[in-house]
Amino acid sequence: MQRHPDSRSPDLSLGLAQDALADGAKLLGRVGEEAILLVRIGSDYFAVGAHCTHYRGPLVAGLVVGQTIRCPLHHACFDLRTGQPLRAPALDPLSCWVVELRDNRVFVRSRRNQLKALNIGKSTCDKPKRIVIVGGGAAGFAAAEMLRREGFADSIVMLSGDAAAPVDRPTLSKNYLAGNASEEGVLLRPETFYSENAIDLRVATEVVRLDPGSREIALSDGQSIRYDRLLLATGTEPVRLWIPGGNQEHVHSLRSLADCRSIIARAQTARRAIILGASFIGLDVAAALRSRGIEVHVVAPEKRPLERILGQEMGKFVQTLHEEHGVIFHLNETALSITGNKMTLRGGGILEGDFVVAGIGVRPRIDLAAKAGIAIERGVVVNSFLETSARGVFAAGDIARWPDPHSGRNIRVEHWIVAERQGQTAALNMMGHREKFNAVPVFWNQHYDVPINYVGHAECWDKVAIEGDIAGKDCVLRFKRDGRTQAIASIFRDYEGLQAELSMERKITQAELLSTDHAGFRQA
């Protein structure tokens, strides 16, 4: 993707005829060496940086909704008036530019002064004095960042079981594992960010007990911490490989930066690797190791990879794509034991590999909540405001089971963007707001140079309507139940993914206007 504007883009400092841009239209232009997106809404013109601050998606291909722009890649959303990020996964603002209208022409010449993204000023809420966040993943980090961005001035304590500061986990299992990203680039923020913003980040810290009655948590080192509001964002942990030999040093899982470092160290001298599981994480690892020239075998019990989530046709496409890149699949198979570098399969075959990566699933870390008497149902049960059944305790991310207004069911979703957005909503509500979490679930996955974007949530469906050509890498799949679209998956149809998200949001809004919230757990 180009970081600099095409020389053929119009130089907006020289002016553009006002009627050259229709109402609601976007234009990619430039000012000097900087790419600028010019948007017209009615009689107003807005000029912002042309690339999303997340992974530099081209905003000219995005969707304008009101006075916002949505990125086509991963659905980040920005305010066109201020450049501020309104929705994860983007955390940094767009640059904003001064627009001058003169003699029926539009001129863009200078940057507009912007406030810093974070503002540790006077607190907007005088209720909580200390907010404690348990978890250093997507939800926990997004909550801490949002608290400071919204002016919460009091104590934030962030407790993470990981040894490293919060990382961008999608990058970890893709570009970093493949050797295409630096360790600094994997961190969501430099380590100095936390001290500069008065966030008391404590890594390698284990919380062993929660007492909602006294509003106190206990750490494994004997310390206790009181809180006014608590966010449980403990995430998931890999399912352990309970077979003989599954605990050997060359058998790995991938969740943390430390896990990734260990796999990379093995890959330096390895010729062949075995991946257990054809999940998203398993296929991420397969693709990353193939880029390092390692022979990769994938062992999985299903008939096709990702079929349960993306359907039969997309599953076949994903398998073929990986096979074209040299991945060898052993499907309808499971491992019985690992002896040294040899793996025995249930079907009787034996595979040899220099190391093994187990991607056989994850489970939510809910023990802390369960032992505290908080309501549990295959996750931590929360209401529309992400409050748990315990007063002052919220939950977000992979552990949270919330009432999804789109599907009409309580769901738990292990998606990075969902976790970030829930962390942001929980932060606002811990400050005293009453903001419902009603975002449509969104996730993305990259297989070599092929992105698969997914919008909505379909645990089951009775029909998959395919538009376009899957093999041609140009398609939209609509997962339907009782004639209603539950979710869509797309390849290189990013704009249609944005439209689907907006359509689902509008249906949610209409439904909420006709009903009241009965999610429970009302708290003072």
Side-chain angles (χ1 to χ4, degrees):
M1 184 177 298
Q2 291 184 335
R3 289 183 176 268
H4 300 287
D6 192 310
S7 60
R8 293 169 296 181
S9 301
D11 186 344
L12 299 178
S13 67
L14 301 178
L16 180 79
Q18 289 187 33
D19 58 5
L21 203 61
D23 184 11
K26 307 179 295 292
L27 173 73
L28 178 62
R30 61 187 173 92
V31 175
E33 291 298 311
E34 297 208 44
I36 304 295
L37 179 73
L38 184 66
V39 181
R40 178 181 177 182
I41 302 175
S43 59
D44 296 322
Y45 294 79
F46 302 92
V48 295
H51 295 110
C52 177
T53 58
H54 178 230
Y55 286 175
R56 294 192 60 79
L59 295 179
V60 71
L63 178 67
V64 174
V65 181
Q67 293 186 330
T68 69
I69 179 76
R70 302 188 183 193
C71 176
L73 294 189
H74 306 136
H75 296 215
C77 180
F78 300 89
D79 189 326
L80 287 169
R81 299 165 300 174
T82 65
Q84 288 298 314
L86 301 178
R87 296 184 180 185
L91 299 170
D92 296 315
L94 299 171
S95 61
C96 276
W97 296 72
V98 176
V99 177
E100 302 175 32
L101 302 179
R102 190 172 67 250
D103 300 326
N104 294 319
R105 293 181 69 80
V106 182
F107 295 87
V108 181
R109 290 174 175 149
S110 61
R111 282 177 181 265
R112 185 187 308 159
N113 292 329
Q114 289 178 285
L115 296 174
K116 291 184 178 180
L118 300 189
N119 173 31
I120 310 177
K122 184 178 180 181
S123 177
T124 58
C125 177
D126 60 1
K127 291 182 181 179
K129 296 299 181 183
R130 173 178 286 174
I131 292 178
V132 175
I133 299 168
V134 182
F141 170 81
E145 193 271 349
M146 180 60 77
L147 286 168
R148 288 298 186 231
R149 191 195 307 179
E150 289 297 311
F152 179 73
D154 294 305
S155 173
I156 300 175
V157 180
M158 188 174 181
L159 308 171
S160 174
D162 288 337
V167 298
D168 184 350
R169 193 165 286 122
T171 296
L172 191 71
S173 62
K174 297 178 176 67
N175 288 338
Y176 181 68
L177 182 56
N180 300 323
S182 67
E183 190 159 301
E184 293 75 16
V186 170
L187 296 176
L188 284 169
R189 284 287 189 266
E191 292 186 4
T192 55
F193 167 86
Y194 302 94
S195 58
E196 290 171 354
N197 291 284
I199 297 170
D200 182 5
L201 171 64
R202 306 183 194 182
V203 298
T205 300
E206 183 183 3
V207 179
V208 295
R209 190 173 66 257
L210 161 63
D211 185 347
S214 64
R215 296 202 175 196
E216 190 171 77
I217 60 172
L219 308 183
S220 60
D221 63 4
Q223 294 186 61
S224 61
I225 301 175
R226 290 186 58 82
Y227 64 85
D228 297 308
R229 299 288 186 275
L230 177 71
L231 176 63
L232 294 175
T234 46
T236 58
E237 61 186 5
V239 173
R240 291 189 62 182
L241 186 59
W242 293 106
I243 62 172
N247 60 348
Q248 297 179 82
E249 288 187 358
H250 70 293
V251 179
H252 303 268
S253 57
L254 176 53
R255 186 69 180 170
S256 66
L257 178 57
D259 293 336
C260 203
R261 287 174 180 154
S262 296
I263 296 171
I264 290 172
R266 292 278 180 187
Q268 303 297 328
T269 57
R271 293 188 308 106
R272 181 183 297 161
I274 303 172
I275 312 298
L276 288 179
S279 60
F280 286 114
I281 192 70
L283 296 179
D284 277 354
V285 173
L289 294 180
R290 285 300 300 139
S291 72
R292 289 178 174 269
I294 296 173
E295 182 180 317
V296 175
H297 292 254
V298 174
V299 178
E302 54 262 52
K303 185 178 179 181
R304 296 179 185 85
L306 305 181
E307 183 174 9
R308 182 181 64 82
I309 300 171
L310 298 176
Q312 176 179 329
E313 294 302 319
M314 189 72 88
K316 288 168 58 178
F317 167 77
V318 169
Q319 179 179 344
T320 300
L321 178 62
H322 281 269
E323 288 174 338
E324 289 172 351
H325 285 81
V327 175
I328 302 166
F329 285 92
H330 305 266
L331 300 172
N332 294 312
E333 273 286 14
T334 56
L336 287 181
S337 63
I338 303 172
T339 304
N341 66 345
K342 293 183 179 180
M343 177 182 292
T344 301
L345 303 182
R346 185 172 298 278
I350 294 177
L351 292 177
E352 293 189 21
D354 298 300
F355 66 97
V356 176
V357 180
I360 55 176
V362 295
R363 70 176 187 87
R365 290 172 168 157
I366 59 175
D367 289 350
L368 186 65
K371 291 176 181 177
I374 293 173
I376 301 295
E377 182 195 341
R378 292 175 296 149
V380 178
V381 179
V382 296
N383 66 8
S384 298
F385 305 98
L386 303 179
E387 301 164 315
T388 73
S389 60
R391 182 181 177 87
V393 180
F394 294 71
D398 293 355
I399 64 170
R401 181 171 291 279
W402 83 96
D404 173 38
H406 174 63
S407 64
R409 300 187 301 274
N410 287 353
I411 65 173
R412 186 180 67 83
V413 172
E414 297 163 0
H415 299 338
W416 182 259
I417 296 176
V418 171
E420 286 187 311
R421 291 181 178 179
Q422 285 188 344
Q424 292 175 333
T425 299
L428 296 175
N429 291 334
M430 287 190 293
M431 292 171 65
H433 297 268
R434 298 295 290 174
E435 181 170 312
K436 291 183 179 181
F437 182 77
N438 54 14
V440 175
V442 175
F443 77 85
W444 83 95
N445 196 241
Q446 186 89 13
H447 300 264
Y448 307 98
D449 60 343
V450 180
I452 299 177
N453 285 0
Y454 187 95
V455 178
H457 184 72
E459 290 184 351
C460 57
W461 59 85
D462 52 37
K463 180 181 180 181
V464 180
I466 301 174
E467 303 168 12
D469 181 8
I470 297 177
K473 305 172 186 177
D474 176 27
C475 63
V476 173
L477 280 69
R478 301 185 188 276
F479 299 88
K480 299 185 176 184
R481 185 178 182 184
D482 298 328
R484 183 171 177 264
T485 298
Q486 301 286 308
I488 76 158
S490 64
I491 300 176
F492 292 118
R493 294 278 191 96
D494 298 332
Y495 194 79
E496 290 179 60
L498 288 171
Q499 289 178 314
E501 180 186 35
L502 180 61
S503 175
M504 292 177 190
E505 288 173 359
R506 286 175 171 167
K507 289 177 182 176
I508 290 171
T509 300
Q510 292 170 359
E512 288 183 338
L513 290 174
L514 299 174
S515 64
T516 56
D517 177 36
H518 298 289
F521 308 153
R522 290 293 184 183
Q523 301 181 359

